[in-house]
Short mmCIF file of all heavy atoms in Angstrom, two decimals:
data_model
loop_
_atom_site.label_atom_id
_atom_site.label_comp_id
_atom_site.label_asym_id
_atom_site.label_seq_id
_atom_site.Cartn_x
_atom_site.Cartn_y
_atom_site.Cartn_z
N MET R 1 88.49 142.47 56.03
CA MET R 1 89.35 141.28 56.21
C MET R 1 89.84 140.92 54.82
O MET R 1 89.11 140.80 53.93
CB MET R 1 88.56 140.26 56.89
CG MET R 1 89.46 139.15 57.40
SD MET R 1 88.53 137.99 58.41
CE MET R 1 88.71 138.87 59.98
N THR R 2 91.03 140.59 54.60
CA THR R 2 91.59 140.13 53.29
C THR R 2 91.57 138.65 53.23
O THR R 2 91.52 138.04 54.18
CB THR R 2 93.05 140.70 53.16
OG1 THR R 2 93.87 140.09 54.06
CG2 THR R 2 93.07 142.16 53.17
N ALA R 3 91.69 138.06 52.06
CA ALA R 3 91.64 136.71 51.70
C ALA R 3 92.79 135.91 52.45
O ALA R 3 92.71 134.92 52.89
CB ALA R 3 91.66 136.40 50.31
N SER R 4 93.92 136.70 52.68
CA SER R 4 95.16 135.99 53.25
C SER R 4 94.87 135.80 54.76
O SER R 4 95.57 135.13 55.44
CB SER R 4 96.34 136.90 53.17
OG SER R 4 96.13 138.16 53.75
N GLN R 5 93.68 136.36 55.19
CA GLN R 5 93.41 136.11 56.70
C GLN R 5 92.29 135.03 56.88
O GLN R 5 91.85 134.95 57.95
CB GLN R 5 93.04 137.44 57.34
CG GLN R 5 94.17 138.48 57.29
CD GLN R 5 93.56 139.82 57.89
OE1 GLN R 5 92.62 140.32 57.30
NE2 GLN R 5 94.24 140.44 58.80
N LEU R 6 91.93 134.46 55.82
CA LEU R 6 90.82 133.50 55.82
C LEU R 6 91.22 132.12 55.34
O LEU R 6 92.14 132.01 54.57
CB LEU R 6 89.71 134.00 54.91
CG LEU R 6 89.05 135.41 55.22
CD1 LEU R 6 88.15 135.77 54.27
CD2 LEU R 6 88.38 135.42 56.62
N VAL R 7 90.47 131.16 55.84
CA VAL R 7 90.72 129.82 55.34
C VAL R 7 89.45 129.13 54.91
O VAL R 7 88.27 129.62 55.26
CB VAL R 7 91.31 128.92 56.42
CG1 VAL R 7 92.71 129.46 56.91
CG2 VAL R 7 90.40 128.71 57.64
N LEU R 8 89.41 128.20 54.04
CA LEU R 8 88.25 127.39 53.64
C LEU R 8 88.17 126.10 54.50
O LEU R 8 89.00 125.48 54.66
CB LEU R 8 88.37 127.05 52.14
CG LEU R 8 88.39 128.13 51.09
CD1 LEU R 8 88.53 127.57 49.75
CD2 LEU R 8 86.95 128.84 51.12
N LEU R 9 86.95 126.02 55.07
CA LEU R 9 86.69 124.84 55.89
C LEU R 9 86.05 123.76 55.08
O LEU R 9 85.18 123.97 54.26
CB LEU R 9 85.68 125.09 57.03
CG LEU R 9 86.22 126.20 57.97
CD1 LEU R 9 85.20 126.47 59.06
CD2 LEU R 9 87.56 125.81 58.66
N GLN R 10 86.49 122.51 55.21
CA GLN R 10 85.95 121.30 54.51
C GLN R 10 85.64 120.21 55.51
O GLN R 10 86.35 119.90 56.25
CB GLN R 10 87.04 120.87 53.55
CG GLN R 10 86.56 119.85 52.56
CD GLN R 10 87.65 119.52 51.50
OE1 GLN R 10 88.71 118.96 52.01
NE2 GLN R 10 87.45 119.79 50.34
N GLY R 11 84.36 119.81 55.41
CA GLY R 11 83.92 118.73 56.27
C GLY R 11 83.28 119.33 57.52
O GLY R 11 83.15 120.67 57.64
N GLY R 12 82.99 118.50 58.44
CA GLY R 12 82.45 119.00 59.72
C GLY R 12 80.91 119.27 59.54
O GLY R 12 80.35 118.87 58.60
N PRO R 13 80.34 119.90 60.59
CA PRO R 13 78.92 120.15 60.57
C PRO R 13 78.49 121.04 59.45
O PRO R 13 79.20 121.95 59.12
CB PRO R 13 78.64 120.91 61.96
CG PRO R 13 79.80 120.55 62.82
CD PRO R 13 80.93 120.33 61.97
N ASP R 14 77.26 120.85 59.03
CA ASP R 14 76.77 121.57 57.78
C ASP R 14 76.47 123.08 58.12
O ASP R 14 76.53 123.91 57.35
CB ASP R 14 75.49 120.94 57.28
CG ASP R 14 75.72 119.60 56.61
OD1 ASP R 14 76.81 119.38 56.14
OD2 ASP R 14 74.72 118.81 56.62
N ASP R 15 76.28 123.37 59.44
CA ASP R 15 75.89 124.83 59.76
C ASP R 15 77.07 125.66 60.05
O ASP R 15 76.91 126.79 60.32
CB ASP R 15 74.98 124.81 60.99
CG ASP R 15 75.59 124.24 62.27
OD1 ASP R 15 76.56 123.53 62.16
OD2 ASP R 15 75.12 124.57 63.34
N LEU R 16 78.31 125.17 59.88
CA LEU R 16 79.53 126.09 59.96
C LEU R 16 79.68 126.80 58.64
O LEU R 16 79.39 126.31 57.61
CB LEU R 16 80.74 125.15 60.28
CG LEU R 16 80.91 124.66 61.65
CD1 LEU R 16 82.15 123.75 61.76
CD2 LEU R 16 80.95 125.77 62.69
N PRO R 17 80.22 128.02 58.76
CA PRO R 17 80.47 128.79 57.44
C PRO R 17 81.62 128.10 56.70
O PRO R 17 82.40 127.33 57.29
CB PRO R 17 80.92 130.14 57.99
CG PRO R 17 81.39 129.92 59.34
CD PRO R 17 80.59 128.71 59.91
N GLN R 18 81.58 128.34 55.43
CA GLN R 18 82.69 127.71 54.53
C GLN R 18 83.98 128.47 54.75
O GLN R 18 85.01 127.85 54.58
CB GLN R 18 82.26 127.79 53.09
CG GLN R 18 83.24 127.26 52.14
CD GLN R 18 82.78 127.41 50.65
OE1 GLN R 18 81.91 128.04 50.33
NE2 GLN R 18 83.47 126.74 49.78
N VAL R 19 83.92 129.71 55.04
CA VAL R 19 85.14 130.55 55.29
C VAL R 19 85.23 130.97 56.68
O VAL R 19 84.27 131.39 57.34
CB VAL R 19 85.04 131.77 54.33
CG1 VAL R 19 86.24 132.70 54.57
CG2 VAL R 19 84.95 131.41 52.93
N TRP R 20 86.48 130.80 57.28
CA TRP R 20 86.64 131.11 58.62
C TRP R 20 88.02 131.96 58.82
O TRP R 20 88.93 131.73 58.04
CB TRP R 20 86.77 129.95 59.39
CG TRP R 20 86.73 130.09 60.95
CD1 TRP R 20 87.80 130.07 61.76
CD2 TRP R 20 85.67 130.19 61.72
NE1 TRP R 20 87.36 130.21 63.02
CE2 TRP R 20 86.02 130.28 63.00
CE3 TRP R 20 84.24 130.18 61.41
CZ2 TRP R 20 85.21 130.43 64.10
CZ3 TRP R 20 83.41 130.37 62.45
CH2 TRP R 20 83.78 130.50 63.72
N PRO R 21 88.06 132.93 59.82
CA PRO R 21 89.38 133.73 59.98
C PRO R 21 90.56 132.75 60.39
O PRO R 21 90.40 131.81 61.07
CB PRO R 21 89.06 134.64 61.05
CG PRO R 21 87.59 134.67 61.17
CD PRO R 21 87.06 133.27 60.68
N LEU R 22 91.64 133.03 59.79
CA LEU R 22 92.92 132.30 60.09
C LEU R 22 93.26 132.38 61.52
O LEU R 22 93.13 133.52 62.13
CB LEU R 22 94.00 132.78 59.25
CG LEU R 22 95.29 132.05 59.15
CD1 LEU R 22 95.08 130.61 58.61
CD2 LEU R 22 96.33 132.79 58.37
N PRO R 23 93.74 131.40 62.26
CA PRO R 23 94.10 131.48 63.62
C PRO R 23 95.40 132.31 63.77
O PRO R 23 96.16 132.57 62.75
CB PRO R 23 94.37 129.98 63.99
CG PRO R 23 94.73 129.33 62.77
CD PRO R 23 93.91 130.09 61.68
N PRO R 24 95.54 132.88 64.96
CA PRO R 24 96.73 133.84 65.15
C PRO R 24 98.05 133.23 64.74
O PRO R 24 99.02 133.97 64.43
CB PRO R 24 96.70 134.02 66.74
CG PRO R 24 95.28 133.83 67.08
CD PRO R 24 94.73 132.70 66.11
N GLY R 25 98.22 131.91 64.91
CA GLY R 25 99.56 131.28 64.51
C GLY R 25 99.78 131.30 63.08
O GLY R 25 100.96 131.03 62.72
N GLY R 26 98.88 131.53 62.30
CA GLY R 26 99.05 131.57 60.79
C GLY R 26 98.80 130.21 60.13
O GLY R 26 98.29 129.27 60.77
N CYS R 27 99.02 130.25 58.82
CA CYS R 27 98.72 129.02 58.11
C CYS R 27 99.46 127.80 58.51
O CYS R 27 100.68 127.93 58.85
CB CYS R 27 99.05 129.27 56.54
SG CYS R 27 98.50 128.06 55.47
N GLY R 28 98.85 126.69 58.58
CA GLY R 28 99.47 125.53 59.19
C GLY R 28 99.07 125.20 60.60
O GLY R 28 99.15 123.99 60.92
N GLU R 29 98.63 126.18 61.29
CA GLU R 29 98.19 125.93 62.69
C GLU R 29 96.68 125.40 62.70
O GLU R 29 95.92 125.80 61.80
CB GLU R 29 98.27 127.22 63.54
CG GLU R 29 99.68 127.73 63.70
CD GLU R 29 100.52 126.73 64.55
OE1 GLU R 29 100.08 126.22 65.60
OE2 GLU R 29 101.64 126.53 64.15
N PRO R 30 96.40 124.55 63.57
CA PRO R 30 95.15 124.00 63.66
C PRO R 30 94.10 125.17 63.91
O PRO R 30 94.40 126.12 64.54
CB PRO R 30 95.15 123.06 64.85
CG PRO R 30 96.54 122.67 65.01
CD PRO R 30 97.28 123.91 64.66
N VAL R 31 92.89 124.87 63.49
CA VAL R 31 91.69 125.72 63.79
C VAL R 31 90.74 125.11 64.70
O VAL R 31 90.42 123.94 64.37
CB VAL R 31 90.98 126.25 62.43
CG1 VAL R 31 89.74 126.98 62.67
CG2 VAL R 31 91.94 127.00 61.50
N LYS R 32 90.32 125.77 65.77
CA LYS R 32 89.46 125.26 66.79
C LYS R 32 88.24 126.17 66.88
O LYS R 32 88.40 127.26 67.28
CB LYS R 32 90.16 125.08 68.09
CG LYS R 32 89.41 124.42 69.21
CD LYS R 32 90.37 124.29 70.39
CE LYS R 32 89.73 124.56 71.64
NZ LYS R 32 90.66 124.43 72.80
N ILE R 33 87.09 125.65 66.54
CA ILE R 33 85.92 126.44 66.36
C ILE R 33 84.92 126.00 67.53
O ILE R 33 84.45 124.97 67.48
CB ILE R 33 85.23 126.33 65.01
CG1 ILE R 33 86.22 126.94 63.86
CG2 ILE R 33 83.86 127.11 64.96
CD1 ILE R 33 85.71 126.64 62.47
N PRO R 34 84.51 127.06 68.40
CA PRO R 34 83.52 126.64 69.38
C PRO R 34 82.21 126.54 68.75
O PRO R 34 81.71 127.36 67.90
CB PRO R 34 83.56 127.83 70.33
CG PRO R 34 84.20 128.94 69.73
CD PRO R 34 85.11 128.37 68.64
N ARG R 35 81.44 125.50 69.07
CA ARG R 35 80.08 125.27 68.61
C ARG R 35 79.23 124.51 69.60
O ARG R 35 79.57 123.40 69.98
CB ARG R 35 80.16 124.40 67.35
CG ARG R 35 78.91 124.15 66.55
CD ARG R 35 79.08 123.39 65.32
NE ARG R 35 77.83 122.95 64.77
CZ ARG R 35 77.30 121.75 65.05
NH1 ARG R 35 77.91 120.96 65.84
NH2 ARG R 35 76.17 121.42 64.56
N TYR R 36 78.23 125.12 70.08
CA TYR R 36 77.41 124.74 71.15
C TYR R 36 78.28 124.29 72.34
O TYR R 36 78.98 125.08 72.87
CB TYR R 36 76.52 123.57 70.70
CG TYR R 36 75.64 123.97 69.43
CD1 TYR R 36 75.84 123.30 68.28
CD2 TYR R 36 74.69 124.93 69.59
CE1 TYR R 36 75.02 123.76 67.26
CE2 TYR R 36 73.95 125.34 68.52
CZ TYR R 36 74.04 124.71 67.34
OH TYR R 36 73.28 125.12 66.24
N ASN R 37 78.23 123.04 72.74
CA ASN R 37 79.00 122.59 73.96
C ASN R 37 80.21 121.84 73.55
O ASN R 37 80.73 121.01 74.27
CB ASN R 37 78.09 121.78 74.92
CG ASN R 37 77.75 120.41 74.26
OD1 ASN R 37 77.68 120.34 73.03
ND2 ASN R 37 77.47 119.46 75.09
N ALA R 38 80.79 122.18 72.39
CA ALA R 38 81.92 121.41 71.95
C ALA R 38 82.80 122.30 71.00
O ALA R 38 82.52 123.48 70.81
CB ALA R 38 81.44 120.30 71.00
N TYR R 39 83.96 121.80 70.59
CA TYR R 39 84.87 122.46 69.54
C TYR R 39 84.98 121.56 68.44
O TYR R 39 85.17 120.37 68.60
CB TYR R 39 86.23 122.61 70.26
CG TYR R 39 86.28 123.67 71.33
CD1 TYR R 39 86.47 123.19 72.65
CD2 TYR R 39 86.23 124.99 71.06
CE1 TYR R 39 86.47 124.12 73.70
CE2 TYR R 39 86.33 125.90 72.15
CZ TYR R 39 86.50 125.49 73.39
OH TYR R 39 86.48 126.40 74.55
N GLU R 40 84.96 122.18 67.30
CA GLU R 40 85.19 121.46 65.99
C GLU R 40 86.68 121.75 65.58
O GLU R 40 87.03 122.96 65.62
CB GLU R 40 84.26 121.98 64.90
CG GLU R 40 82.75 121.77 65.27
CD GLU R 40 82.35 120.36 65.39
OE1 GLU R 40 82.95 119.39 64.95
OE2 GLU R 40 81.34 120.08 66.14
N HIS R 41 87.44 120.72 65.34
CA HIS R 41 88.83 120.84 65.03
C HIS R 41 89.12 120.63 63.54
O HIS R 41 88.58 119.62 62.95
CB HIS R 41 89.69 119.84 65.81
CG HIS R 41 89.57 120.13 67.34
ND1 HIS R 41 90.52 120.81 68.00
CD2 HIS R 41 88.58 119.70 68.18
CE1 HIS R 41 90.09 120.87 69.30
NE2 HIS R 41 89.00 120.21 69.42
N PHE R 42 89.91 121.64 62.99
CA PHE R 42 90.28 121.45 61.57
C PHE R 42 91.79 121.58 61.47
O PHE R 42 92.43 122.26 62.13
CB PHE R 42 89.66 122.64 60.83
CG PHE R 42 88.14 122.48 60.64
CD1 PHE R 42 87.33 122.98 61.69
CD2 PHE R 42 87.54 122.04 59.41
CE1 PHE R 42 85.97 122.88 61.55
CE2 PHE R 42 86.15 122.03 59.41
CZ PHE R 42 85.40 122.40 60.49
N GLU R 43 92.26 120.91 60.48
CA GLU R 43 93.73 120.92 60.26
C GLU R 43 94.12 121.24 58.81
O GLU R 43 93.34 120.94 57.91
CB GLU R 43 94.54 119.65 60.62
CG GLU R 43 94.38 119.33 62.06
CD GLU R 43 95.24 118.15 62.52
OE1 GLU R 43 95.92 117.55 61.68
OE2 GLU R 43 95.00 117.68 63.72
N PHE R 44 95.27 121.89 58.61
CA PHE R 44 95.56 122.32 57.23
C PHE R 44 95.77 121.22 56.28
O PHE R 44 96.46 120.21 56.67
CB PHE R 44 96.86 123.19 57.29
CG PHE R 44 97.43 123.65 55.99
CD1 PHE R 44 96.58 124.31 55.15
CD2 PHE R 44 98.72 123.52 55.63
CE1 PHE R 44 97.02 124.78 53.92
CE2 PHE R 44 99.22 124.02 54.44
CZ PHE R 44 98.31 124.69 53.64
N ALA R 45 95.10 121.21 55.20
CA ALA R 45 95.16 120.03 54.19
C ALA R 45 96.31 120.19 53.28
O ALA R 45 96.34 119.28 52.28
CB ALA R 45 93.86 120.03 53.48
N HIS R 46 97.17 121.06 53.45
CA HIS R 46 98.39 121.30 52.50
C HIS R 46 97.87 121.55 51.03
O HIS R 46 98.49 121.03 50.10
CB HIS R 46 99.30 120.17 52.53
CG HIS R 46 99.82 119.95 54.00
ND1 HIS R 46 100.90 120.82 54.48
CD2 HIS R 46 99.50 119.14 54.98
CE1 HIS R 46 101.15 120.39 55.74
NE2 HIS R 46 100.39 119.41 56.04
N GLU R 47 96.83 122.30 50.88
CA GLU R 47 96.31 122.60 49.62
C GLU R 47 95.66 124.02 49.67
O GLU R 47 95.34 124.38 50.77
CB GLU R 47 95.45 121.66 48.92
CG GLU R 47 94.05 121.47 49.70
CD GLU R 47 93.20 120.42 49.01
OE1 GLU R 47 92.40 120.83 48.10
OE2 GLU R 47 93.23 119.31 49.45
N HIS R 48 95.50 124.58 48.52
CA HIS R 48 94.91 125.91 48.50
C HIS R 48 93.73 125.82 47.38
O HIS R 48 94.00 125.08 46.43
CB HIS R 48 95.82 127.03 48.11
CG HIS R 48 96.75 127.39 49.22
ND1 HIS R 48 97.84 126.50 49.62
CD2 HIS R 48 96.76 128.37 50.07
CE1 HIS R 48 98.44 127.13 50.58
NE2 HIS R 48 97.82 128.24 50.93
N ARG R 49 92.63 126.54 47.59
CA ARG R 49 91.58 126.58 46.55
C ARG R 49 91.28 128.00 46.32
O ARG R 49 91.35 128.87 47.16
CB ARG R 49 90.31 125.79 46.99
CG ARG R 49 90.64 124.32 47.19
CD ARG R 49 89.49 123.47 46.76
NE ARG R 49 89.79 122.10 46.90
CZ ARG R 49 89.09 121.19 47.47
NH1 ARG R 49 87.97 121.58 48.04
NH2 ARG R 49 89.49 120.01 47.53
N THR R 50 90.65 128.27 45.12
CA THR R 50 90.36 129.64 44.82
C THR R 50 88.77 129.81 45.02
O THR R 50 88.02 129.12 44.57
CB THR R 50 90.60 129.99 43.38
OG1 THR R 50 92.01 129.79 43.18
CG2 THR R 50 90.25 131.34 43.04
N LEU R 51 88.41 130.93 45.72
CA LEU R 51 87.08 131.26 46.05
C LEU R 51 86.89 132.74 45.68
O LEU R 51 87.67 133.49 46.28
CB LEU R 51 86.64 130.96 47.48
CG LEU R 51 85.25 131.27 47.85
CD1 LEU R 51 84.28 130.30 47.15
CD2 LEU R 51 85.03 131.19 49.39
N ASP R 52 85.91 133.00 44.82
CA ASP R 52 85.77 134.47 44.43
C ASP R 52 87.14 135.11 43.97
O ASP R 52 87.35 136.26 44.38
CB ASP R 52 85.17 135.21 45.62
CG ASP R 52 83.76 134.68 45.96
OD1 ASP R 52 83.08 134.21 45.02
OD2 ASP R 52 83.38 134.89 47.14
N GLY R 53 87.87 134.33 43.28
CA GLY R 53 89.10 134.89 42.77
C GLY R 53 90.35 135.00 43.78
O GLY R 53 91.37 135.48 43.35
N GLU R 54 90.06 134.55 45.01
CA GLU R 54 91.15 134.60 45.95
C GLU R 54 91.61 133.08 46.35
O GLU R 54 90.81 132.27 46.65
CB GLU R 54 90.66 135.31 47.20
CG GLU R 54 90.31 136.75 47.00
CD GLU R 54 91.45 137.63 46.63
OE1 GLU R 54 92.64 137.33 47.01
OE2 GLU R 54 91.24 138.69 45.96
N SER R 55 92.95 132.96 46.40
CA SER R 55 93.45 131.61 46.85
C SER R 55 93.52 131.58 48.34
O SER R 55 94.00 132.52 49.02
CB SER R 55 94.89 131.43 46.24
OG SER R 55 95.44 130.24 46.73
N MET R 56 92.88 130.52 48.93
CA MET R 56 92.89 130.43 50.34
C MET R 56 93.26 128.92 50.77
O MET R 56 92.97 128.00 50.04
CB MET R 56 91.45 130.57 50.92
CG MET R 56 90.86 131.99 50.70
SD MET R 56 89.20 132.00 51.38
CE MET R 56 88.47 133.35 50.42
N PRO R 57 93.95 128.89 51.85
CA PRO R 57 94.29 127.48 52.36
C PRO R 57 93.12 126.65 52.77
O PRO R 57 92.12 127.27 53.24
CB PRO R 57 95.17 127.71 53.60
CG PRO R 57 94.96 129.22 53.96
CD PRO R 57 94.39 129.89 52.78
N VAL R 58 93.05 125.43 52.50
CA VAL R 58 92.02 124.48 52.92
C VAL R 58 92.31 123.88 54.25
O VAL R 58 93.41 123.23 54.45
CB VAL R 58 91.79 123.42 51.81
CG1 VAL R 58 90.60 122.42 52.19
CG2 VAL R 58 91.50 124.14 50.47
N TYR R 59 91.33 123.78 55.18
CA TYR R 59 91.36 123.16 56.39
C TYR R 59 90.32 122.14 56.42
O TYR R 59 89.10 122.39 56.23
CB TYR R 59 91.19 124.15 57.50
CG TYR R 59 92.48 124.87 57.93
CD1 TYR R 59 93.03 125.80 57.04
CD2 TYR R 59 93.03 124.53 59.09
CE1 TYR R 59 94.24 126.45 57.39
CE2 TYR R 59 94.28 125.22 59.39
CZ TYR R 59 94.80 126.18 58.58
OH TYR R 59 96.02 126.83 58.94
N ARG R 60 90.68 120.86 56.79
CA ARG R 60 89.70 119.75 56.78
C ARG R 60 89.36 119.42 58.26
O ARG R 60 90.21 119.41 59.17
CB ARG R 60 90.32 118.47 56.12
CG ARG R 60 90.35 118.62 54.63
CD ARG R 60 90.42 117.28 53.93
NE ARG R 60 90.57 117.50 52.57
CZ ARG R 60 91.70 117.35 51.85
NH1 ARG R 60 92.88 117.12 52.49
NH2 ARG R 60 91.71 117.66 50.55
N TRP R 61 88.09 119.13 58.46
CA TRP R 61 87.66 118.72 59.75
C TRP R 61 88.37 117.36 60.21
O TRP R 61 88.39 116.47 59.42
CB TRP R 61 86.07 118.57 59.68
CG TRP R 61 85.52 118.17 61.13
CD1 TRP R 61 85.12 119.11 62.10
CD2 TRP R 61 85.21 116.95 61.63
NE1 TRP R 61 84.59 118.38 63.17
CE2 TRP R 61 84.71 117.02 62.83
CE3 TRP R 61 85.37 115.60 61.12
CZ2 TRP R 61 84.27 115.89 63.64
CZ3 TRP R 61 84.99 114.59 61.93
CH2 TRP R 61 84.38 114.73 63.11
N THR R 62 88.74 117.31 61.40
CA THR R 62 89.41 116.15 61.83
C THR R 62 88.65 115.50 63.07
O THR R 62 88.53 114.29 63.13
CB THR R 62 90.85 116.42 62.37
OG1 THR R 62 90.91 117.58 63.27
CG2 THR R 62 91.69 116.78 61.20
N TYR R 63 88.14 116.26 64.04
CA TYR R 63 87.45 115.61 65.18
C TYR R 63 86.74 116.71 66.00
O TYR R 63 86.91 117.89 65.75
CB TYR R 63 88.37 114.87 66.03
CG TYR R 63 89.50 115.66 66.73
CD1 TYR R 63 89.41 116.17 67.95
CD2 TYR R 63 90.67 115.92 65.98
CE1 TYR R 63 90.44 116.88 68.55
CE2 TYR R 63 91.76 116.60 66.54
CZ TYR R 63 91.54 117.12 67.85
OH TYR R 63 92.63 117.79 68.35
N ARG R 64 85.88 116.30 66.89
CA ARG R 64 85.11 117.12 67.85
C ARG R 64 85.62 116.82 69.20
O ARG R 64 85.69 115.60 69.62
CB ARG R 64 83.66 116.95 67.64
CG ARG R 64 82.81 117.64 68.65
CD ARG R 64 81.21 117.30 68.37
NE ARG R 64 80.89 117.74 67.04
CZ ARG R 64 80.32 116.91 66.27
NH1 ARG R 64 80.06 115.69 66.41
NH2 ARG R 64 79.97 117.44 65.05
N THR R 65 85.82 117.84 70.06
CA THR R 65 85.92 117.59 71.56
C THR R 65 84.73 118.26 72.30
O THR R 65 84.32 119.40 71.77
CB THR R 65 87.20 118.13 72.05
OG1 THR R 65 87.43 119.45 71.71
CG2 THR R 65 88.40 117.30 71.48
N TYR R 66 84.50 117.77 73.48
CA TYR R 66 83.37 118.49 74.24
C TYR R 66 83.94 119.30 75.39
O TYR R 66 85.01 118.94 75.88
CB TYR R 66 82.40 117.36 74.83
CG TYR R 66 81.59 116.85 73.65
CD1 TYR R 66 81.99 115.70 73.01
CD2 TYR R 66 80.39 117.48 73.26
CE1 TYR R 66 81.25 115.23 71.93
CE2 TYR R 66 79.61 117.02 72.18
CZ TYR R 66 80.11 115.78 71.53
OH TYR R 66 79.33 115.36 70.47
N ILE R 67 83.30 120.35 75.65
CA ILE R 67 83.68 121.28 76.71
C ILE R 67 83.42 120.69 78.09
O ILE R 67 82.23 120.31 78.30
CB ILE R 67 83.09 122.66 76.55
CG1 ILE R 67 83.48 123.26 75.14
CG2 ILE R 67 83.44 123.56 77.67
CD1 ILE R 67 82.71 124.48 74.76
N ALA R 68 84.46 120.55 78.86
CA ALA R 68 84.21 120.03 80.25
C ALA R 68 83.55 121.14 81.14
O ALA R 68 83.90 122.26 81.00
CB ALA R 68 85.56 119.65 80.91
N GLU R 69 82.63 120.74 81.96
CA GLU R 69 82.04 121.69 82.80
C GLU R 69 82.41 121.49 84.24
O GLU R 69 82.87 120.50 84.69
CB GLU R 69 80.46 121.48 82.77
CG GLU R 69 80.03 121.84 81.36
CD GLU R 69 78.57 122.04 81.37
OE1 GLU R 69 77.92 122.47 82.44
OE2 GLU R 69 77.96 121.82 80.25
#
């Protein structure tokens, strides 16, 4: 997987990875990560940061929604 297919996650639960695959819609689209009985939502922060020499878009945690049963 190349850096252009990854985003940096900022905020949210501590047990989420720092790097996550870019959603199919591409940069700027929200990222929704399933976690236990909920989803963690991240939105593009309109900035990029360098990690291991690769520039990646930053996504900040915005809210959590719970999965209806």
Side-chain angles (χ1 to χ4, degrees):
M1 190 171 278
T2 65
S4 62
Q5 297 172 308
L6 300 173
V7 298
L8 292 177
L9 299 180
Q10 188 176 62
D14 291 336
D15 62 341
L16 286 178
Q18 181 182 11
V19 177
W20 192 262
L22 189 65
C27 189
E29 293 297 313
V31 173
K32 182 172 142 180
I33 300 173
R35 183 174 169 272
Y36 304 116
N37 65 337
Y39 291 104
E40 302 298 337
H41 297 262
F42 292 80
E43 293 187 12
F44 181 49
H46 300 282
E47 67 179 271
H48 289 76
R49 294 214 178 132
T50 302
L51 180 68
D52 297 330
E54 299 293 334
S55 179
M56 297 182 202
V58 175
Y59 277 68
R60 287 198 183 104
W61 183 85
T62 52
Y63 60 97
R64 171 183 300 125
T65 54
Y66 289 92
I67 298 170
E69 295 195 29

